[in-house]
Amino acid sequence: MAVRKIAVLTSGGDAPGMNAALRAIVRIGDGFGMEIIGIRRGYSGLLARDFEPLTSQDMSDTVQKGGTILFTARCKEMMEERYQIQAAEILKEENIDALVVVGGDGSFRGAQALAAQGINVIGIPATIDLDLACTDYTIGFDTAVNTAMEAVDKVRDTSTSHERISIIEVMGRHAGYIALWCGIACGAEEILIPETYDYNDKLLIERIRERAATGKKKHIIINAEGVGQSEALAARIENATGIESRTTILGYMQRGGAPSSRDRVMASLMAQQAIEALLEGRVNRVVVYREGMVQDLAIDEALSMQKALPEKLVALTKRLVRR
Ligand code: F6P
């Protein structure tokens, strides 16, 4: 398959390192003589034909930038077949040989739908949530966890000074990976994640009481966005234990900022894998990191996988807490 002209878009929630991926797509693709078309605002921009040719030079000064220079969007229309057909027709009219989609699960579902309409697609995983079953690494996760960790360290200082309980809510609507990593890295006493939390505070409050009885008042509780209700939980804990409890919701700060070195390098490696796959005729694939290697999998297989709970991490969270 001759790949002369490719298009690239970023879609869904932005993630630090998306620009590093775009830069590598453009520069590596350009090195192989490809014409690269950037599509602004994800699938919404595709439907609106919001295109801009991208050259190697255009990508200067982007590797260190957070966010995405192509902008992003969550495009509900792409869930409907008539818009999927329309998007595929636009790409065919523009003579695009392959579309590179940088994003998370929803973005990959859009790419899968386009593949069913005869478009060659390849996905590069980028989401701070690390909630894709097919890959052990998603671009943006490392930066987001480090950002959250630094913020929690700061909250801890004031929490310790005031001998308070701090509930710190981190992102992750459906997945607790940021909460788990950040909680372990910050020495949290409790980590609540949507995959396991049963909304029964009794045991949690009992554990806090037991630790308080040994003189420990200050507690750091990391709560994933998917569990939510942090303010209400703080009020219940304060009522039950008599220890002042405060809530901090970190929110979108976790999605911004300069990407970590790991996110920049992984984004570049994953982009290289995407271009190599296209050159070798492997299309309708997703770039993944599995068994310590960047590789690519068939998109249908990748999206049919179920993410298992990281049991070892969950066990670790309990074992590290002071008795
Ligand atoms: O990008 C992932 C994520 O940050 C989730 O953790 C969060 O629930 C969601 O995006 C929020 O997205 P939006 O930008 O639509 O509010």
Side-chain angles (χ1 to χ4, degrees):
M1 184 185 90
V3 186
R4 291 181 210 91
K5 189 174 178 185
I6 64 171
V8 60
L9 58 79
T10 51
S11 156
D14 62 347
M18 276 183 161
N19 286 326
L22 291 174
R23 169 178 173 268
I25 289 287
V26 173
R27 295 219 164 141
I28 298 168
D30 185 45
F32 284 103
M34 296 177 187
E35 186 184 345
I36 324 283
I37 305 297
I39 301 175
R40 294 191 202 93
R41 299 179 184 83
Y43 292 113
S44 305
L46 169 53
L47 291 166
R49 295 177 190 260
D50 195 353
F51 300 145
E52 75 175 292
L54 294 173
T55 65
S56 255
Q57 216 178 336
D58 294 331
M59 305 318 289
S60 292
D61 206 20
T62 57
V63 73
Q64 81 285 11
K65 287 191 176 135
T68 161
I69 58 164
L70 279 182
F71 306 102
T72 186
R74 297 192 193 273
C75 177
K76 290 206 178 76
E77 285 90 343
M78 268 305 279
M79 291 177 187
E80 288 180 47
E81 197 181 14
R82 62 190 168 126
Y83 289 108
Q84 296 161 4
I85 293 170
Q86 193 182 325
E89 275 167 8
I90 291 171
L91 290 167
K92 285 175 194 165
E93 278 164 29
E94 297 289 331
N95 297 314
I96 302 293
D97 295 316
L99 173 69
V100 183
V101 172
V102 183
D105 187 63
S107 311
F108 287 179
R109 305 262 163 213
Q112 190 181 30
L114 288 175
Q117 299 298 335
I119 300 296
N120 296 322
V121 298
I122 189 144
I124 296 180
T127 163
I128 65 163
D129 287 350
L130 191 67
D131 58 348
L132 285 165
C134 56
T135 181
D136 297 334
Y137 195 89
T138 60
I139 298 163
F141 175 74
D142 186 63
T143 307
V145 170
N146 282 311
T147 301
M149 180 188 75
E150 284 171 21
V152 172
D153 285 350
K154 288 177 181 158
V155 175
R156 172 193 280 277
D157 287 346
T158 168
S159 193
T160 305
S161 304
H162 286 262
E163 298 181 280
R164 282 176 177 154
I165 293 171
S166 277
I167 299 176
I168 302 158
E169 190 172 306
V170 299
M171 269 188 157
R173 196 176 286 163
H174 305 294
Y177 286 90
I178 296 177
L180 278 174
W181 276 72
C182 173
I184 291 170
C186 293
E189 278 74 21
E190 301 285 342
I191 303 172
L192 314 181
I193 59 171
E195 292 91 333
T196 57
Y197 193 59
D198 62 0
Y199 291 90
N200 180 355
D201 306 337
K202 275 197 192 128
L203 289 174
L204 170 72
I205 288 170
E206 199 43 48
R207 287 195 296 273
I208 294 173
R209 275 212 192 99
E210 278 168 18
R211 290 186 209 114
T214 68
K216 183 183 176 65
K217 285 190 186 165
K218 179 227 63 176
H219 276 72
I220 298 289
I221 302 175
I222 302 293
N223 187 26
E225 175 192 358
V227 172
Q229 305 180 14
S230 293
E231 289 284 358
L233 181 62
R236 284 199 297 276
I237 293 175
E238 184 165 317
N239 282 339
T241 63
I243 306 171
E244 267 190 322
S245 303
R246 295 281 196 272
T247 302
T248 305
I249 297 177
L250 298 184
Y252 291 104
M253 67 170 300
Q254 295 158 95
R255 269 207 335 226
S260 65
S261 61
R262 188 153 163 78
D263 275 331
R264 296 181 202 190
V265 174
M266 287 300 285
S268 306
L269 273 171
M270 286 180 152
Q272 173 174 262
Q273 185 75 21
I275 296 290
E276 281 176 1
L278 292 178
L279 287 169
E280 288 160 21
R282 292 196 305 283
V283 292
N284 305 337
R285 314 281 292 176
V286 171
V287 176
V288 296
Y289 182 71
R290 291 170 75 86
E291 291 155 0
M293 267 187 311
V294 175
Q295 42 184 303
D296 51 272
L297 289 180
I299 193 165
D300 292 340
E301 183 193 352
L303 294 186
S304 69
M305 294 176 173
Q306 300 292 324
K307 191 125 182 147
L309 191 69
E311 301 289 355
K312 292 229 170 188
L313 277 184
V314 175
L316 187 59
T317 63
K318 299 191 179 93
R319 290 177 176 153
L320 289 174
V321 180
R322 191 189 94 175
R323 309 265 144 226

